[in-house]
Amino acid sequence: MALSLVTAPAAEPITLAEAKVHLRVDITDDDSLITALIVTARQHVEAITRRALITQTWDLTLDAWPDGDTILVPLPPLQSVTSVTYKDSAGTVYTVPATDYIVDKVEEPGRIVLAYGKTWPSATLYPAGAITVRFAAGYGDATKVPQAIKQAMLLLIGQWYESRETISIGNIVNELPFTVEALLWPYRVLRWL
């Protein structure tokens, strides 16, 4: 299994203005740094929670069809499945008709389930990376991202802005606040492929 980003989010969950209010910064000298910290905080939160925050498009690549009738789609919340394609041993790419499967966006992670009476294609597959599921994931725009996730991002941005490097004084190491973990814990995806 492999994931590759096709279309990155068009915006971030936190605006520069929101971050600057949180940081109590009213100068423009650090705008590029703060903007970079916003992106980094989103990426960090997405990695910890195993979620997509703002709408983004991904390709999930598999070597073989699942043993059962379900393909789990990572990075909830799942918005839609654009296509399910597969490559046969000759290298020809085919698209599985959307009528052959059902997209379950309620379950987390989302899933693709075979429709009644359907089976996965029986063609001999290409040896590696034969199946590609293209999907859109994320809460939508910034207004739909849970406030607890946005607050965790602001705490990370604040920590990184104030302490640009990890410091150690004796046995005390400057770590990320426990509050960040507490805010993100309910949003972590524990079930994975």
Side-chain angles (χ1 to χ4, degrees):
M1 177 201 80
L3 280 170
S4 56
L5 182 64
V6 176
T7 307
E12 296 296 332
I14 304 290
T15 65
L16 177 61
E18 290 170 324
K20 288 175 76 170
V21 166
H22 176 76
L23 298 171
R24 296 184 179 137
V25 172
D26 55 7
I27 58 171
T28 59
D29 296 354
D30 287 346
D31 283 3
S32 61
L33 170 63
I34 296 168
T35 300
L37 292 176
I38 292 168
V39 173
T40 304
R42 175 189 47 84
Q43 291 171 340
H44 186 74
V45 166
E46 286 177 335
I48 288 173
T49 62
R50 299 167 131 176
R51 291 181 173 275
L53 300 184
I54 302 292
T55 299
Q56 46 199 270
T57 304
W58 289 83
D59 278 347
L60 168 65
T61 306
L62 306 168
D63 290 336
W65 296 110
D67 290 332
D69 63 353
T70 301
I71 297 173
L72 292 178
V73 183
L75 303 175
L78 176 63
Q79 291 181 5
S80 63
V81 172
T82 306
S83 64
V84 178
T85 60
Y86 64 97
K87 190 183 330 180
D88 69 12
S89 58
T92 306
V93 177
Y94 299 92
T95 301
V96 177
T99 55
D100 286 5
Y101 57 86
I102 299 162
V103 177
D104 178 4
K105 300 184 288 187
V106 176
E107 191 78 21
E108 287 196 355
R111 56 194 183 140
I112 298 169
V113 181
L114 283 172
Y116 290 115
K118 302 295 182 178
T119 59
W120 300 118
S122 60
T124 301
L125 296 175
Y126 197 75
I131 301 158
T132 301
V133 176
R134 179 159 291 178
F135 65 97
Y139 289 99
D141 63 24
T143 63
K144 295 183 177 85
V145 175
Q147 187 58 42
I149 291 176
K150 291 166 113 177
Q151 188 61 42
M153 285 182 63
L154 288 170
L155 291 171
L156 287 170
I157 292 164
Q159 177 78 13
W160 294 336
Y161 184 77
E162 290 299 321
S163 302
R164 312 248 170 126
E165 297 177 14
T166 301
I167 57 172
S168 176
I169 302 170
N171 292 334
I172 300 171
V173 176
N174 185 15
E175 294 181 3
L176 294 177
F178 169 76
T179 309
V180 171
E181 287 186 38
L183 288 168
L184 295 178
W185 180 255
Y187 298 97
R188 288 189 58 200
V189 177
L190 300 176
R191 182 176 156 201
W192 197 249
L193 303 175

